Amino acid sequence: MKKILFLFKDKNKVLSNLFYKYIFFVLFCCLDIFVFITIKLLSSRKSLEIIKLRPWLIFKFNLNKEKKTSWKIRIAKIIKLRESNKFLGSTCLSVSISGRIFLDIIGVKNFIHLSMNKINGRKIPHAWLSDIDSEFNYSSGLKDDECAFFIKI
């Protein structure tokens, strides 16, 4: 009987972890859509100012290194999942800004790359998020030699 109860507790723990991951993904998607709409409504200059000011830093948590690493991995997975499941109301810039908000809240230094690429004579803007310390790209990025124009924010 104890073994059955033990297995049931583990099953509930797995289900609750999946539930929290799903809730976190939905929260990230809602933030992404909000950022997308905000970018569309504001001028590009105002959007850039908000990205540079980072008003969400007032919500910063002080986490130990282990917790911070755990959250970095979760956020990286959520960003990759969101990038692969983009639909109406999401762009590379909105995903990068949403990821930056979560990383800033847990205290991870990061920057957003903005670039202009030329593909088949057509200029295409792109944005991606990177870690300052490890140069890890949270979202899919480009190499410096593939960019016609490139800045870090």
Side-chain angles (χ1 to χ4, degrees), residues 21 24-25 28 74-82:
K21 287 177 184 179
F24 185 59
F25 178 70
F28 188 87
R74 286 180 191 158
I75 292 169
K77 287 179 181 178
I78 293 292
I79 290 171
K80 295 288 183 191
L81 185 62
R82 180 65 177 162

Side-chain angles (χ1 to χ4, degrees), residues 30-150:
C30 290
L31 178 63
D32 182 33
I33 292 168
F34 174 76
V35 168
F36 174 78
I37 291 169
T38 304
I39 291 169
K40 293 295 181 185
L41 293 177
L42 293 178
S43 66
S44 57
R45 184 177 302 265
K46 287 285 186 193
S47 299
L48 200 56
E49 285 178 22
I50 291 172
I51 294 169
K52 287 180 181 178
L53 288 176
R54 297 179 178 190
W56 49 84
L57 283 175
I58 59 172
F59 301 110
K60 188 174 178 181
F61 294 120
N62 291 323
L63 301 175
N64 62 27
K65 193 172 184 176
E66 185 179 298
K67 290 267 187 194
K68 198 179 284 190
T69 303
S70 171
W71 275 103
K72 277 172 57 172
I73 292 168
R74 286 180 191 158
I75 292 169
K77 287 179 181 178
I78 293 292
I79 290 171
K80 295 288 183 191
L81 185 62
R82 180 65 177 162
E83 278 188 331
S84 63
N85 295 312
K86 271 196 239 177
F87 53 91
L88 186 66
S90 182
T91 62
C92 55
L93 181 59
S94 66
V95 170
S96 296
I97 294 171
S98 301
R100 171 175 249 187
I101 291 170
F102 277 106
L103 289 173
D104 283 347
I105 288 173
I106 65 167
V108 175
K109 296 178 182 176
N110 61 76
F111 52 86
I112 295 178
H113 300 267
L114 298 175
S115 71
M116 188 64 72
N117 314 323
K118 207 169 195 179
I119 300 174
N120 298 330
R122 211 172 126 216
K123 293 179 184 175
I124 300 173
H126 185 56
W128 67 97
L129 184 64
S130 294
D131 193 320
I132 286 179
D133 299 327
S134 65
E135 292 288 325
F136 173 75
N137 288 339
Y138 290 98
S139 51
S140 58
L142 301 169
K143 296 176 185 153
D144 292 344
D145 58 344
E146 295 175 341
C147 305
F149 176 73
F150 179 76

